[in-house]
Amino acid sequence: PDRVVLWGVSLSGGHVLTIAAHDSGIAAVVALTPLVDGLAAGLLAVRHTPAASLLRSTATGVRSRIGSRIGRGANMIPLVGEPGDIAALNLDGHREDYLAIAGPTWRNEVDATIVLELGTYRPGRHAASIRCPVLVQIADFDRSAPPHSAAQAAFRARAEVRHYPCDHFDVWPGKDWFEPAVTHQIFFLTRHLADSSTPKPDTPEVSGDPVSP
């Protein structure tokens, strides 16, 4: 119980930073391609998403918030969709990438109010309060979780940082940078949590070749 590690990816990569900042009992944190600044993510989305799609998603979010407050329930939108669809994630390739790892019970829906709430989601501001070891893994060409925001949060958390020349989903199972990302996680956790008698792995290196150890 005194060796709890928080692991989060994407939106939950921001959650784990917030939890660790407020819980001194956390032993270590791994944040993989974390979303740490919702406003920056929204501005990044504007660059890659048609304005009409963003407006429709926002309107659905407003209807969902009003419906919840008057007892009609939430309006749901797909979590992932094709470019131009009303969806939380609708960039080219996102639907295929997400479906590739989705389990048989997964439902492609989320409360539309997430579109409105994302702008105030800023877990990166808590990073300076974290006192345990932190590993932040950044996809340098991430179109969903702004890499510069993740780098700023990592600096405030005094974190170990690993960079990968890829997009948001390219560190997930079946993609080129999954194995290097996992290798770095294992090395990080072994170094900080293993007993002194446990052999430490050699420091892994990652270059432009995704099969590098």
Side-chain angles (χ1 to χ4, degrees):
D2 60 346
R3 291 160 62 84
V4 175
V5 175
L6 303 179
W7 184 98
V9 59
S10 193
L11 194 63
S12 65
H15 296 349
V16 295
L17 296 178
T18 300
I19 295 170
H22 295 91
D23 188 341
S24 60
I26 301 302
V29 173
V30 175
L32 176 62
T33 58
L35 197 162
V36 300
D37 188 327
L39 180 59
L43 294 175
L44 182 62
V46 170
R47 294 169 50 189
H48 298 287
T49 307
S53 177
L54 291 174
L55 290 174
R56 291 198 302 270
S57 297
T58 302
T60 305
V62 171
R63 289 196 299 271
S64 181
R65 174 165 289 179
I66 294 173
S68 296
R69 289 182 175 177
I70 64 177
R72 292 183 178 177
N75 285 65
M76 309 300 286
I77 60 173
L79 177 61
V80 288
E82 298 293 345
D85 289 349
I86 296 178
L89 298 171
N90 60 2
L91 297 183
D92 181 45
H94 275 179
R95 186 173 185 275
E96 293 77 11
D97 287 337
Y98 214 106
L99 292 179
I101 62 170
T105 62
W106 177 71
R107 296 167 60 179
N108 186 18
E109 62 180 16
V110 65
D111 187 339
T113 55
I114 190 174
V115 178
L116 307 179
E117 296 170 352
L118 192 61
T120 58
Y121 181 72
R122 299 188 63 191
R125 62 186 177 182
H126 303 294
S129 299
I130 300 175
R131 293 294 176 262
C132 65
V134 179
L135 171 63
V136 176
Q137 298 175 282
I138 300 173
D140 288 334
F141 305 116
D142 201 319
R143 295 177 296 164
S144 302
H148 65 279
S149 297
Q152 291 172 346
F155 179 80
R156 289 194 288 269
R158 300 162 302 281
E160 176 181 328
V161 179
R162 296 286 184 171
H163 290 267
Y164 310 93
C166 63
D167 197 4
H168 190 71
F169 288 96
D170 294 333
V171 293
W172 291 44
K175 294 303 189 76
D176 288 341
W177 296 97
F178 172 71
E179 291 297 339
V182 171
T183 298
H184 288 146
Q185 293 173 17
I186 293 173
F187 174 76
F188 169 79
L189 294 173
T190 302
R191 180 156 50 86
H192 288 289
L193 300 180
D195 296 332
S196 59
S197 59
T198 303
K200 303 298 191 296
D202 293 333
T203 302
E205 296 180 359
V206 172
S207 64
D209 180 359
V211 299
S212 297

